Amino acid sequence: MSDAIQQFKAAMSLYGVVPPEQVCVDGKIHQYGKSKIWWYAYFADGVPAGIFGKWDARDDETWHADLGRQLTEEEVLTHRQRMDAARKERELAIALSVRIANKIWDKAKPVDDHPYLKRKGVQSYGLRVSHKELLIPLKRDDVIISLKFISESGRRRYLPSGQTSGCFYPIGELIDAETICIAETYATAATIHQATGYPVIVAFSASNFKSVTGEIRKAHPRANLVICATDNYRIDGNPGLTKASDAAKLYGAKVLIPLYGAINFNVMATKFGIAAVTCYFQEVSEQINAIAPSQLDAEFDEASANLNQTEIASVAGSVAVAESGLPAFKIFDPFKLVTSLITLIGKLLARVGCFGPIKPDGKDANQSVGGSHE
């Protein structure tokens, strides 16, 4: 059995799943890892077999031990029945989590004042509180799928067995919105909404940018999407910016990062004032609203009307196409803004009437600004 378990762990690693230190062989669903991100079920009797994946993902991977021969028809049938049983158990666990989330939410009270909100300098947009914990709902198709809990001290946790992939929380009105921003955390999203009036989507993590941006693009095909990334410039690979850029390229969005070394727009607002964020968005508004999908469609239709089919194919081939079928925008690349940002910083410093003189405690404006991720 030890050899079979090693095979199972190797299969998990092959598919990018971090295997658990110890494998329970009871054929039951087990969640593990930070925030219970991974899951598996291992069956030891008969032909050793297992199923595993990421709890948030909608798909999974299956495995059975290499016996040095093909499985018999009976063994194949048993294998399929085991995998189906494990999937059903997981679906029931997720469904139970959804019911629990909605029950907790229904009993919770609306909140306007909470230590976490005060510390972050943001308002409550439809949030609730239960046992002193701030509740942020994670929604999919306007249904509460799970909950995020934030204590008065800022400790964060998700509802056990709850899903986050593709789930989000909207702040502001999305219907007919020309511009929709997407941010990692509630504090950042609330800051941007307060500063700009734009509707903002809370994606809850950089890893969720891709699925959430896809959902928003599907629901709002003609809106300008702006992913307001967390700038993890001190971390190798800058995961916040990298994942934002990947999602932007795929779904025709733009990417925006804060100034002055702040890792997110809430940190920027905390250090320099909410008006600094307002002015920054005003300065880049032309780029944010440069090309609307409707304009791009119209321009393409007008141009293609005068082309033959061969020329049309050539033009279409030169346009990056998102999975949604709409032409993708050229990504708003922050690294190409270095020179313009230098000019912008000068303008911001000069605009005393907008938010008063910036005095970053005697530090250089480009020096790193501290602050928590959320």
Side-chain angles (χ1 to χ4, degrees):
M1 181 166 62
S2 177
D3 181 60
I5 290 177
Q6 292 306 313
Q7 287 185 33
F8 180 58
K9 287 186 173 183
M12 298 175 86
S13 298
L14 183 64
Y15 284 99
V17 173
V18 179
E21 291 185 8
Q22 292 185 334
V23 175
C24 294
V25 297
D26 55 4
K28 302 294 183 181
I29 291 291
H30 295 276
Q31 285 183 258
Y32 66 98
K34 184 179 180 181
S35 301
K36 304 296 184 182
I37 188 174
W38 309 111
W39 71 278
Y40 74 91
Y42 184 92
F43 301 85
D45 57 315
V47 178
I51 184 171
F52 56 87
K54 190 175 182 180
W55 189 258
D56 270 347
R58 299 181 184 183
D59 55 357
D60 55 59
E61 301 295 340
T62 61
W63 164 91
H64 65 75
D66 183 1
L67 304 179
R69 60 170 175 81
Q70 289 186 337
L71 301 185
T72 65
E73 289 185 5
E74 183 179 353
E75 289 170 336
V76 169
L77 179 60
T78 299
H79 179 73
R80 288 175 179 171
Q81 290 174 340
R82 286 173 164 179
M83 300 304 103
D84 288 342
R87 290 188 183 105
K88 185 174 181 179
E89 182 184 347
R90 176 170 174 260
E91 289 171 1
L92 289 173
I94 292 172
L96 177 60
S97 178
V98 170
R99 290 198 297 271
I100 292 173
N102 282 270
K103 187 174 182 179
I104 293 173
W105 180 257
D106 290 342
K107 290 184 177 181
K109 297 180 179 179
V111 61
D112 292 320
D113 186 26
H114 188 272
Y116 176 80
L117 299 176
K118 280 186 177 180
R119 190 161 57 252
K120 293 297 181 179
V122 296
Q123 301 173 25
S124 168
Y125 293 100
L127 304 186
R128 296 186 183 184
V129 66
S130 176
H131 301 289
K132 298 184 179 181
E133 286 188 304
L134 196 64
L135 305 185
I136 308 174
L138 286 79
K139 295 184 175 183
R140 186 189 297 146
D141 298 325
D142 206 32
V143 175
I144 295 177
I145 302 299
S146 186
L147 294 172
K148 183 172 186 177
F149 302 80
I150 304 180
S151 70
E152 293 184 339
S153 64
R155 185 178 63 86
R156 297 175 287 274
R157 66 183 179 90
Y158 289 97
L159 189 68
S161 298
Q163 290 193 307
T164 60
S165 181
C167 298
F168 58 88
Y169 182 67
I171 298 175
E173 183 56 64
L174 296 178
I175 298 176
D176 297 327
E178 294 184 1
T179 298
I180 300 174
C181 296
I182 302 172
E184 266 191 60
T185 69
Y186 178 85
T188 299
T191 297
I192 295 168
H193 181 68
Q194 289 171 212
T196 67
Y198 288 142
V200 188
I201 300 296
V202 183
F204 293 98
S205 72
S207 298
N208 213 18
F209 273 148
K210 187 177 292 185
S211 56
V212 167
T213 303
E215 292 293 326
I216 301 303
R217 172 57 75 212
K218 187 188 303 181
H220 304 275
R222 299 188 179 280
N224 290 310
L225 303 187
V226 182
I227 303 177
C228 302
T230 296
D231 188 11
N232 306 117
Y233 57 89
R234 291 184 177 274
I235 301 176
D236 289 343
N238 200 334
L241 182 56
T242 298
K243 291 176 181 179
S245 298
D246 290 343
K249 291 175 183 176
L250 189 58
Y251 293 109
K254 303 178 182 75
V255 172
L256 198 62
I257 59 173
L259 295 177
Y260 313 125
I263 62 172
N264 60 50
F265 285 99
N266 180 257
V267 173
M268 181 177 171
T270 300
K271 191 68 177 180
F272 302 107
I274 190 73
V277 178
T278 301
C279 289
Y280 180 34
F281 272 81
Q282 289 173 349
E283 291 290 345
V284 300
S285 62
E286 289 186 7
Q287 288 124 310
I288 289 176
N289 301 300
I291 304 177
S294 56
Q295 292 176 307
L296 199 56
D297 289 344
E299 291 173 5
F300 183 82
D301 291 342
E302 182 179 356
S304 63
N306 299 318
L307 297 175
N308 59 40
Q309 293 302 313
T310 302
E311 291 172 321
I312 290 174
S314 177
V315 172
S318 66
V319 179
V321 179
E323 280 191 354
S324 61
L326 293 173
F329 300 112
K330 181 179 180 182
I331 188 169
F332 183 61
D333 187 354
F335 297 110
K336 295 181 180 179
L337 291 179
V338 175
T339 55
S340 61
L341 288 181
I342 293 174
T343 302
L344 173 58
I345 291 171
K347 289 182 179 180
L348 290 175
L349 289 170
R351 293 180 67 164
V352 177
C354 183
F355 56 87
I358 295 178
K359 297 179 180 179
D361 300 331
K363 298 178 181 178
D364 185 280
N366 290 316
Q367 187 171 337
S368 174
V369 176
S372 63
H373 192 105
E374 179 171 10

